[in-house]
Amino acid sequence: MKILTNFPYSPFTRKAGSGQRFLQNILGLRNLGHEILLWSIDHESKYKWLPGDIKLAKQEGIKIHLTKSWELPLGLLENIDLIWCNYYNFFFLFQEFEGPILIDGHDILSVNEQINEFFKQHLTKIGTKNTFRYHPEIFNPPLAPFPILEDELNAYRQCDLVVTISQEETVRLEQNGIKTKWIPYQNFEEFPLSTRSGPPIFTGSANLHNLFATDFLGEILIPAIR
């Protein structure tokens, strides 16, 4: 099949996070014999496409279509068999496509945004550093789950399938009548604790979730163990 997918920045040369997860998806589909056309935007940012990214994509057999904005180029949908849409808020770009569309959520985004906002309300700045140190209540978040907003659910209801990254997400979406498929990305049984060494690693340190994890480790967990 010829598969059209989208991603807001280059996944090549990125070693962690959703970019790496997306890259493994498209390389896996390529290995199954599918032709991958990746639509992305050419813009100035720390995540912009570099010449080396284009070169790597070509070496991996991935075709790249770069535009200055998210306006569907004429002819991009021609001869496409399947759309693998990344993030629900990009679904509207492909609504004129008459074939099957699946959405890869990379987390339930509306829930993720609410968690981020919850965290931001408890941040304290010390010099140039942000910390949750003076808000221990952040480590006891509300027991009720954050709701999935209707905009996200409506996008999922219009597509053929939603790819989830956890069993909990799968259950929550299925409870809302969404057809899902869970793709586990790492089998931790292959990496038992006895084989791991070195300090804990939190990738993407600017992310609020990782700041939460670092503060939890340094302010709660390690003192408790000591």
Side-chain angles (χ1 to χ4, degrees):
M1 290 195 301
K2 186 175 182 180
I3 299 174
L4 172 62
T5 188
N6 68 290
F7 206 66
Y9 55 86
S10 169
F12 297 92
T13 71
R14 307 293 192 272
K15 301 302 183 185
S18 58
Q20 183 60 213
R21 177 179 173 276
F22 167 70
L23 180 60
Q24 296 309 312
N25 276 339
I26 60 174
L27 292 180
L29 291 167
R30 178 213 58 187
N31 290 344
L32 291 172
H34 301 296
E35 181 182 344
I36 308 299
L37 173 59
L38 168 57
W39 175 23
S40 189
I41 54 173
D42 186 11
H43 65 300
E44 285 298 321
S45 79
K46 63 180 180 180
Y47 300 117
K48 70 179 181 180
W49 283 82
L50 300 172
D53 299 325
I54 302 290
K55 182 179 179 181
L56 281 172
K58 185 176 181 180
Q59 289 174 351
E60 296 290 354
I62 307 297
K63 294 182 178 179
I64 308 297
H65 190 96
L66 295 179
T67 55
K68 291 295 182 183
S69 66
W70 291 111
E71 285 190 39
L72 187 68
L74 290 175
L76 193 66
L77 299 180
E78 290 181 6
N79 302 315
I80 296 297
D81 300 301
L82 170 76
I83 288 179
W84 188 294
C85 174
N86 281 273
Y87 306 108
Y88 82 91
N89 45 340
F90 286 94
F91 175 76
F92 74 93
L93 298 172
F94 306 109
Q95 285 183 304
E96 63 183 75
F97 181 65
E98 297 180 353
I101 302 177
L102 65 81
I103 298 177
D104 194 341
H106 298 267
D107 301 323
I108 301 178
L109 292 187
S110 62
V111 170
N112 207 44
E113 290 165 1
Q114 292 172 79
I115 293 171
N116 271 332
E117 188 58 36
F118 179 71
F119 282 176
K120 286 178 181 177
Q121 293 171 5
H122 297 79
L123 279 173
T124 301
K125 199 169 191 71
I126 302 178
T128 60
K129 302 289 186 179
N130 289 317
T131 181
F132 297 115
R133 181 178 302 176
Y134 300 111
H135 295 277
E137 69 273 18
I138 194 72
F139 299 107
N140 295 289
L143 294 178
F146 292 95
I148 307 172
L149 301 186
E150 280 301 310
D151 283 350
E152 185 163 12
L153 289 173
N154 286 337
Y156 292 156
R157 291 186 181 112
Q158 294 179 68
C159 73
D160 296 273
L161 180 72
V162 175
V163 176
T164 57
I165 64 171
S166 74
Q167 290 174 310
E168 181 180 354
E169 285 188 355
T170 302
V171 170
R172 290 197 66 187
L173 290 176
E174 288 179 345
Q175 288 172 342
N176 283 277
I178 309 298
K179 185 178 180 181
T180 67
K181 179 67 176 179
W182 175 48
I183 301 181
Y185 283 88
Q186 186 167 339
N187 181 2
F188 287 100
E189 293 178 0
E190 297 177 5
F191 305 96
L193 284 171
S194 60
T195 66
R196 302 181 206 173
S197 61
I201 297 173
F202 300 100
T203 58
S205 58
N207 187 287
L208 284 169
H209 294 268
N210 295 310
L211 179 59
F212 177 91
T214 303
D215 270 17
F216 177 75
L217 182 67
E219 303 293 336
I220 305 294
L221 188 59
I222 290 178
I225 292 172
R226 285 176 176 168

